[in-house]
PDB file of all heavy atoms in Angstrom:
ATOM      1  N   MET A 178       6.105  14.326   2.469  1.00  0.00           N
ATOM      2  CA  MET A 178       6.023  13.735   3.806  1.00  0.00           C
ATOM      3  C   MET A 178       4.552  13.549   4.182  1.00  0.00           C
ATOM      4  O   MET A 178       3.750  14.463   4.019  1.00  0.00           O
ATOM      5  CB  MET A 178       6.722  14.624   4.835  1.00  0.00           C
ATOM      6  CG  MET A 178       6.847  13.976   6.213  1.00  0.00           C
ATOM      7  SD  MET A 178       7.977  12.562   6.233  1.00  0.00           S
ATOM      8  CE  MET A 178       9.535  13.372   5.950  1.00  0.00           C
ATOM      9  N   GLY A 179       4.200  12.360   4.684  1.00  0.00           N
ATOM     10  CA  GLY A 179       2.823  12.073   5.045  1.00  0.00           C
ATOM     11  C   GLY A 179       2.615  11.927   6.538  1.00  0.00           C
ATOM     12  O   GLY A 179       3.230  12.633   7.338  1.00  0.00           O
ATOM     13  N   LEU A 180       1.774  10.962   6.919  1.00  0.00           N
ATOM     14  CA  LEU A 180       1.432  10.772   8.330  1.00  0.00           C
ATOM     15  C   LEU A 180       2.493   9.990   9.091  1.00  0.00           C
ATOM     16  O   LEU A 180       2.653  10.181  10.298  1.00  0.00           O
ATOM     17  CB  LEU A 180       0.100  10.021   8.437  1.00  0.00           C
ATOM     18  CG  LEU A 180      -1.144  10.662   7.813  1.00  0.00           C
ATOM     19  CD1 LEU A 180      -2.347   9.773   8.061  1.00  0.00           C
ATOM     20  CD2 LEU A 180      -1.382  12.050   8.375  1.00  0.00           C
ATOM     21  N   ILE A 181       3.183   9.082   8.416  1.00  0.00           N
ATOM     22  CA  ILE A 181       4.107   8.176   9.093  1.00  0.00           C
ATOM     23  C   ILE A 181       5.517   8.751   9.058  1.00  0.00           C
ATOM     24  O   ILE A 181       6.045   9.045   7.980  1.00  0.00           O
ATOM     25  CB  ILE A 181       4.072   6.781   8.434  1.00  0.00           C
ATOM     26  CG1 ILE A 181       2.644   6.218   8.473  1.00  0.00           C
ATOM     27  CG2 ILE A 181       5.037   5.827   9.133  1.00  0.00           C
ATOM     28  CD1 ILE A 181       2.466   4.908   7.733  1.00  0.00           C
ATOM     29  N   PRO A 182       6.139   8.930  10.220  1.00  0.00           N
ATOM     30  CA  PRO A 182       7.487   9.507  10.269  1.00  0.00           C
ATOM     31  C   PRO A 182       8.496   8.665   9.477  1.00  0.00           C
ATOM     32  O   PRO A 182       8.350   7.451   9.354  1.00  0.00           O
ATOM     33  CB  PRO A 182       7.823   9.490  11.770  1.00  0.00           C
ATOM     34  CG  PRO A 182       6.501   9.428  12.459  1.00  0.00           C
ATOM     35  CD  PRO A 182       5.607   8.637  11.564  1.00  0.00           C
ATOM     36  N   ASN A 183       9.501   9.326   8.946  1.00  0.00           N
ATOM     37  CA  ASN A 183      10.633   8.703   8.249  1.00  0.00           C
ATOM     38  C   ASN A 183      10.318   8.224   6.831  1.00  0.00           C
ATOM     39  O   ASN A 183      11.171   7.609   6.183  1.00  0.00           O
ATOM     40  CB  ASN A 183      11.194   7.518   9.054  1.00  0.00           C
ATOM     41  CG  ASN A 183      11.649   7.911  10.432  1.00  0.00           C
ATOM     42  OD1 ASN A 183      12.457   8.816  10.593  1.00  0.00           O
ATOM     43  ND2 ASN A 183      11.108   7.254  11.454  1.00  0.00           N
ATOM     44  N   PHE A 184       9.122   8.475   6.335  1.00  0.00           N
ATOM     45  CA  PHE A 184       8.766   8.048   4.989  1.00  0.00           C
ATOM     46  C   PHE A 184       8.185   9.217   4.201  1.00  0.00           C
ATOM     47  O   PHE A 184       7.465  10.042   4.740  1.00  0.00           O
ATOM     48  CB  PHE A 184       7.744   6.906   5.024  1.00  0.00           C
ATOM     49  CG  PHE A 184       8.272   5.632   5.624  1.00  0.00           C
ATOM     50  CD1 PHE A 184       8.048   5.329   6.954  1.00  0.00           C
ATOM     51  CD2 PHE A 184       9.005   4.741   4.849  1.00  0.00           C
ATOM     52  CE1 PHE A 184       8.538   4.163   7.511  1.00  0.00           C
ATOM     53  CE2 PHE A 184       9.499   3.573   5.397  1.00  0.00           C
ATOM     54  CZ  PHE A 184       9.265   3.277   6.737  1.00  0.00           C
ATOM     55  N   ASP A 185       8.471   9.233   2.902  1.00  0.00           N
ATOM     56  CA  ASP A 185       7.882  10.243   2.025  1.00  0.00           C
ATOM     57  C   ASP A 185       6.432   9.902   1.692  1.00  0.00           C
ATOM     58  O   ASP A 185       5.605  10.787   1.517  1.00  0.00           O
ATOM     59  CB  ASP A 185       8.682  10.359   0.727  1.00  0.00           C
ATOM     60  CG  ASP A 185      10.079  10.931   0.940  1.00  0.00           C
ATOM     61  OD1 ASP A 185      10.279  11.629   1.962  1.00  0.00           O
ATOM     62  OD2 ASP A 185      10.954  10.684   0.093  1.00  0.00           O
ATOM     63  N   TYR A 186       6.159   8.577   1.586  1.00  0.00           N
ATOM     64  CA  TYR A 186       4.812   8.119   1.243  1.00  0.00           C
ATOM     65  C   TYR A 186       4.296   7.161   2.303  1.00  0.00           C
ATOM     66  O   TYR A 186       5.035   6.278   2.760  1.00  0.00           O
ATOM     67  CB  TYR A 186       4.811   7.422  -0.125  1.00  0.00           C
ATOM     68  CG  TYR A 186       5.269   8.321  -1.243  1.00  0.00           C
ATOM     69  CD1 TYR A 186       6.578   8.263  -1.713  1.00  0.00           C
ATOM     70  CD2 TYR A 186       4.408   9.253  -1.813  1.00  0.00           C
ATOM     71  CE1 TYR A 186       7.015   9.100  -2.714  1.00  0.00           C
ATOM     72  CE2 TYR A 186       4.839  10.099  -2.819  1.00  0.00           C
ATOM     73  CZ  TYR A 186       6.138  10.019  -3.261  1.00  0.00           C
ATOM     74  OH  TYR A 186       6.576  10.861  -4.253  1.00  0.00           O
ATOM     75  N   ASP A 187       3.053   7.352   2.687  1.00  0.00           N
ATOM     76  CA  ASP A 187       2.427   6.433   3.631  1.00  0.00           C
ATOM     77  C   ASP A 187       2.067   5.120   2.940  1.00  0.00           C
ATOM     78  O   ASP A 187       2.252   4.045   3.500  1.00  0.00           O
ATOM     79  CB  ASP A 187       1.152   7.061   4.220  1.00  0.00           C
ATOM     80  CG  ASP A 187       1.435   8.345   4.964  1.00  0.00           C
ATOM     81  OD1 ASP A 187       2.272   8.318   5.888  1.00  0.00           O
ATOM     82  OD2 ASP A 187       0.845   9.389   4.606  1.00  0.00           O
ATOM     83  N   ARG A 225      -6.363  14.491   9.078  1.00  0.00           N
ATOM     84  CA  ARG A 225      -5.181  15.028   8.393  1.00  0.00           C
ATOM     85  C   ARG A 225      -5.388  14.934   6.890  1.00  0.00           C
ATOM     86  O   ARG A 225      -5.806  13.898   6.373  1.00  0.00           O
ATOM     87  CB  ARG A 225      -3.939  14.217   8.786  1.00  0.00           C
ATOM     88  CG  ARG A 225      -3.579  14.290  10.273  1.00  0.00           C
ATOM     89  CD  ARG A 225      -2.620  15.413  10.539  1.00  0.00           C
ATOM     90  NE  ARG A 225      -1.372  15.267   9.809  1.00  0.00           N
ATOM     91  CZ  ARG A 225      -0.320  14.569  10.245  1.00  0.00           C
ATOM     92  NH1 ARG A 225      -0.373  13.951  11.421  1.00  0.00           N
ATOM     93  NH2 ARG A 225       0.788  14.510   9.521  1.00  0.00           N
ATOM     94  N   ASN A 253      10.831   4.729  -0.206  1.00  0.00           N
ATOM     95  CA  ASN A 253      10.406   5.711   0.798  1.00  0.00           C
ATOM     96  C   ASN A 253       8.925   5.579   1.141  1.00  0.00           C
ATOM     97  O   ASN A 253       8.261   6.557   1.455  1.00  0.00           O
ATOM     98  CB  ASN A 253      10.699   7.125   0.284  1.00  0.00           C
ATOM     99  CG  ASN A 253      12.182   7.408   0.180  1.00  0.00           C
ATOM    100  OD1 ASN A 253      12.844   7.680   1.167  1.00  0.00           O
ATOM    101  ND2 ASN A 253      12.725   7.316  -1.023  1.00  0.00           N
ATOM    102  N   THR A 254       8.431   4.334   1.096  1.00  0.00           N
ATOM    103  CA  THR A 254       7.023   4.057   1.373  1.00  0.00           C
ATOM    104  C   THR A 254       6.889   3.160   2.598  1.00  0.00           C
ATOM    105  O   THR A 254       7.641   2.196   2.755  1.00  0.00           O
ATOM    106  CB  THR A 254       6.356   3.369   0.158  1.00  0.00           C
ATOM    107  OG1 THR A 254       6.325   4.293  -0.933  1.00  0.00           O
ATOM    108  CG2 THR A 254       4.938   2.944   0.476  1.00  0.00           C
ATOM    109  N   ALA A 255       5.925   3.470   3.457  1.00  0.00           N
ATOM    110  CA  ALA A 255       5.716   2.690   4.674  1.00  0.00           C
ATOM    111  C   ALA A 255       4.895   1.427   4.419  1.00  0.00           C
ATOM    112  O   ALA A 255       5.164   0.370   5.001  1.00  0.00           O
ATOM    113  CB  ALA A 255       5.027   3.549   5.727  1.00  0.00           C
ATOM    114  N   ASP A 285      15.037  -1.664   6.214  1.00  0.00           N
ATOM    115  CA  ASP A 285      14.928  -0.233   6.508  1.00  0.00           C
ATOM    116  C   ASP A 285      14.829   0.077   7.999  1.00  0.00           C
ATOM    117  O   ASP A 285      14.578   1.219   8.386  1.00  0.00           O
ATOM    118  CB  ASP A 285      13.738   0.387   5.757  1.00  0.00           C
ATOM    119  CG  ASP A 285      12.383  -0.148   6.214  1.00  0.00           C
ATOM    120  OD1 ASP A 285      12.328  -0.910   7.198  1.00  0.00           O
ATOM    121  OD2 ASP A 285      11.365   0.212   5.586  1.00  0.00           O
ATOM    122  N   PHE A 287      12.629  -1.168  10.125  1.00  0.00           N
ATOM    123  CA  PHE A 287      11.304  -1.448  10.674  1.00  0.00           C
ATOM    124  C   PHE A 287      10.879  -2.899  10.461  1.00  0.00           C
ATOM    125  O   PHE A 287      10.163  -3.472  11.271  1.00  0.00           O
ATOM    126  CB  PHE A 287      10.257  -0.516  10.047  1.00  0.00           C
ATOM    127  CG  PHE A 287      10.420   0.919  10.418  1.00  0.00           C
ATOM    128  CD1 PHE A 287      11.125   1.790   9.599  1.00  0.00           C
ATOM    129  CD2 PHE A 287       9.894   1.414  11.607  1.00  0.00           C
ATOM    130  CE1 PHE A 287      11.287   3.119   9.942  1.00  0.00           C
ATOM    131  CE2 PHE A 287      10.061   2.747  11.955  1.00  0.00           C
ATOM    132  CZ  PHE A 287      10.756   3.604  11.128  1.00  0.00           C
ATOM    133  N   ARG A 296       3.242  -5.016   6.531  1.00  0.00           N
ATOM    134  CA  ARG A 296       3.277  -3.791   5.740  1.00  0.00           C
ATOM    135  C   ARG A 296       2.855  -4.051   4.291  1.00  0.00           C
ATOM    136  O   ARG A 296       2.666  -3.113   3.531  1.00  0.00           O
ATOM    137  CB  ARG A 296       4.690  -3.203   5.780  1.00  0.00           C
ATOM    138  CG  ARG A 296       5.060  -2.637   7.145  1.00  0.00           C
ATOM    139  CD  ARG A 296       6.535  -2.314   7.248  1.00  0.00           C
ATOM    140  NE  ARG A 296       6.935  -1.306   6.262  1.00  0.00           N
ATOM    141  CZ  ARG A 296       8.187  -0.903   6.099  1.00  0.00           C
ATOM    142  NH1 ARG A 296       9.156  -1.433   6.840  1.00  0.00           N
ATOM    143  NH2 ARG A 296       8.484   0.009   5.189  1.00  0.00           N
ATOM    144  N   LEU A 356      -1.558  -0.006  11.364  1.00  0.00           N
ATOM    145  CA  LEU A 356      -0.159   0.103  10.974  1.00  0.00           C
ATOM    146  C   LEU A 356       0.406   1.480  11.290  1.00  0.00           C
ATOM    147  O   LEU A 356       1.540   1.605  11.775  1.00  0.00           O
ATOM    148  CB  LEU A 356      -0.020  -0.197   9.479  1.00  0.00           C
ATOM    149  CG  LEU A 356       0.010  -1.677   9.096  1.00  0.00           C
ATOM    150  CD1 LEU A 356      -0.217  -1.852   7.601  1.00  0.00           C
ATOM    151  CD2 LEU A 356       1.331  -2.320   9.510  1.00  0.00           C
ATOM    152  N   ILE A 357      -0.361   2.522  11.015  1.00  0.00           N
ATOM    153  CA  ILE A 357       0.085   3.888  11.326  1.00  0.00           C
ATOM    154  C   ILE A 357       0.365   4.022  12.820  1.00  0.00           C
ATOM    155  O   ILE A 357       1.391   4.572  13.243  1.00  0.00           O
ATOM    156  CB  ILE A 357      -0.961   4.918  10.872  1.00  0.00           C
ATOM    157  CG1 ILE A 357      -1.039   4.966   9.341  1.00  0.00           C
ATOM    158  CG2 ILE A 357      -0.620   6.312  11.423  1.00  0.00           C
ATOM    159  CD1 ILE A 357      -2.137   5.855   8.802  1.00  0.00           C
ATOM    160  N   LYS A 358      -0.538   3.485  13.632  1.00  0.00           N
ATOM    161  CA  LYS A 358      -0.356   3.531  15.089  1.00  0.00           C
ATOM    162  C   LYS A 358       0.892   2.753  15.501  1.00  0.00           C
ATOM    163  O   LYS A 358       1.664   3.190  16.359  1.00  0.00           O
ATOM    164  CB  LYS A 358      -1.588   2.949  15.776  1.00  0.00           C
ATOM    165  CG  LYS A 358      -1.571   3.079  17.292  1.00  0.00           C
ATOM    166  CD  LYS A 358      -2.875   2.574  17.890  1.00  0.00           C
ATOM    167  CE  LYS A 358      -2.875   2.722  19.411  1.00  0.00           C
ATOM    168  NZ  LYS A 358      -4.161   2.228  19.992  1.00  0.00           N
ATOM    169  N   GLY A 359       1.118   1.599  14.856  1.00  0.00           N
ATOM    170  CA  GLY A 359       2.294   0.801  15.165  1.00  0.00           C
ATOM    171  C   GLY A 359       3.587   1.513  14.812  1.00  0.00           C
ATOM    172  O   GLY A 359       4.558   1.480  15.578  1.00  0.00           O
ATOM    173  N   PHE A 360       3.617   2.182  13.666  1.00  0.00           N
ATOM    174  CA  PHE A 360       4.801   2.949  13.274  1.00  0.00           C
ATOM    175  C   PHE A 360       5.086   4.058  14.280  1.00  0.00           C
ATOM    176  O   PHE A 360       6.246   4.302  14.643  1.00  0.00           O
ATOM    177  CB  PHE A 360       4.601   3.554  11.885  1.00  0.00           C
ATOM    178  CG  PHE A 360       5.018   2.663  10.752  1.00  0.00           C
ATOM    179  CD1 PHE A 360       4.071   2.117   9.906  1.00  0.00           C
ATOM    180  CD2 PHE A 360       6.358   2.388  10.524  1.00  0.00           C
ATOM    181  CE1 PHE A 360       4.453   1.294   8.848  1.00  0.00           C
ATOM    182  CE2 PHE A 360       6.754   1.574   9.465  1.00  0.00           C
ATOM    183  CZ  PHE A 360       5.792   1.029   8.634  1.00  0.00           C
ATOM    184  N   LYS A 361       4.048   4.731  14.724  1.00  0.00           N
ATOM    185  CA  LYS A 361       4.240   5.833  15.675  1.00  0.00           C
ATOM    186  C   LYS A 361       4.744   5.325  17.017  1.00  0.00           C
ATOM    187  O   LYS A 361       5.540   5.997  17.684  1.00  0.00           O
ATOM    188  CB  LYS A 361       2.940   6.617  15.821  1.00  0.00           C
ATOM    189  CG  LYS A 361       2.593   7.422  14.569  1.00  0.00           C
ATOM    190  CD  LYS A 361       1.336   8.248  14.743  1.00  0.00           C
ATOM    191  CE  LYS A 361       1.075   9.098  13.496  1.00  0.00           C
ATOM    192  NZ  LYS A 361      -0.154   9.909  13.605  1.00  0.00           N
ATOM    193  N   LYS A 362       4.304   4.135  17.427  1.00  0.00           N
ATOM    194  CA  LYS A 362       4.808   3.544  18.669  1.00  0.00           C
ATOM    195  C   LYS A 362       6.292   3.227  18.543  1.00  0.00           C
ATOM    196  O   LYS A 362       7.071   3.459  19.479  1.00  0.00           O
ATOM    197  CB  LYS A 362       4.028   2.274  18.994  1.00  0.00           C
ATOM    198  CG  LYS A 362       2.659   2.510  19.605  1.00  0.00           C
ATOM    199  CD  LYS A 362       2.016   1.190  19.996  1.00  0.00           C
ATOM    200  CE  LYS A 362       0.680   1.418  20.674  1.00  0.00           C
ATOM    201  NZ  LYS A 362       0.024   0.128  21.062  1.00  0.00           N
ATOM    202  N   LEU A 363       6.681   2.687  17.392  1.00  0.00           N
ATOM    203  CA  LEU A 363       8.092   2.393  17.173  1.00  0.00           C
ATOM    204  C   LEU A 363       8.931   3.664  17.189  1.00  0.00           C
ATOM    205  O   LEU A 363      10.028   3.702  17.740  1.00  0.00           O
ATOM    206  CB  LEU A 363       8.272   1.674  15.829  1.00  0.00           C
ATOM    207  CG  LEU A 363       7.765   0.237  15.745  1.00  0.00           C
ATOM    208  CD1 LEU A 363       7.902  -0.280  14.313  1.00  0.00           C
ATOM    209  CD2 LEU A 363       8.517  -0.671  16.712  1.00  0.00           C
ATOM    210  N   GLU A 364       8.401   4.717  16.596  1.00  0.00           N
ATOM    211  CA  GLU A 364       9.104   6.002  16.573  1.00  0.00           C
ATOM    212  C   GLU A 364       9.266   6.556  17.985  1.00  0.00           C
ATOM    213  O   GLU A 364      10.332   7.046  18.351  1.00  0.00           O
ATOM    214  CB  GLU A 364       8.330   6.991  15.701  1.00  0.00           C
ATOM    215  CG  GLU A 364       8.913   8.390  15.638  1.00  0.00           C
ATOM    216  CD  GLU A 364      10.181   8.468  14.819  1.00  0.00           C
ATOM    217  OE1 GLU A 364      10.500   7.487  14.121  1.00  0.00           O
ATOM    218  OE2 GLU A 364      10.849   9.505  14.876  1.00  0.00           O
ATOM    219  N   ALA A 365       8.188   6.463  18.785  1.00  0.00           N
ATOM    220  CA  ALA A 365       8.233   6.983  20.153  1.00  0.00           C
ATOM    221  C   ALA A 365       9.177   6.184  21.033  1.00  0.00           C
ATOM    222  O   ALA A 365       9.749   6.714  21.995  1.00  0.00           O
ATOM    223  CB  ALA A 365       6.828   6.976  20.751  1.00  0.00           C
ATOM    224  N   GLN A 367      12.028   4.892  20.169  1.00  0.00           N
ATOM    225  CA  GLN A 367      13.436   5.105  19.854  1.00  0.00           C
ATOM    226  C   GLN A 367      14.047   6.085  20.854  1.00  0.00           C
ATOM    227  O   GLN A 367      13.428   7.091  21.211  1.00  0.00           O
ATOM    228  CB  GLN A 367      13.582   5.648  18.434  1.00  0.00           C
ATOM    229  CG  GLN A 367      13.220   4.648  17.354  1.00  0.00           C
ATOM    230  CD  GLN A 367      13.403   5.213  15.967  1.00  0.00           C
ATOM    231  OE1 GLN A 367      13.736   6.375  15.803  1.00  0.00           O
ATOM    232  NE2 GLN A 367      13.189   4.381  14.961  1.00  0.00           N
TER     233      GLN A 367
END
Side-chain angles (χ1 to χ4, degrees):
M178 188 68 68
L180 300 181
I181 302 174
N183 302 306
F184 294 96
D185 293 337
Y186 300 99
D187 300 304
R225 297 269 300 274
N253 292 282
T254 294
D285 65 7
F287 293 95
R296 290 169 61 184
L356 279 165
I357 292 174
K358 186 176 181 180
F360 272 111
K361 290 183 177 179
K362 282 185 177 180
L363 289 175
E364 177 73 11
Q367 291 181 356

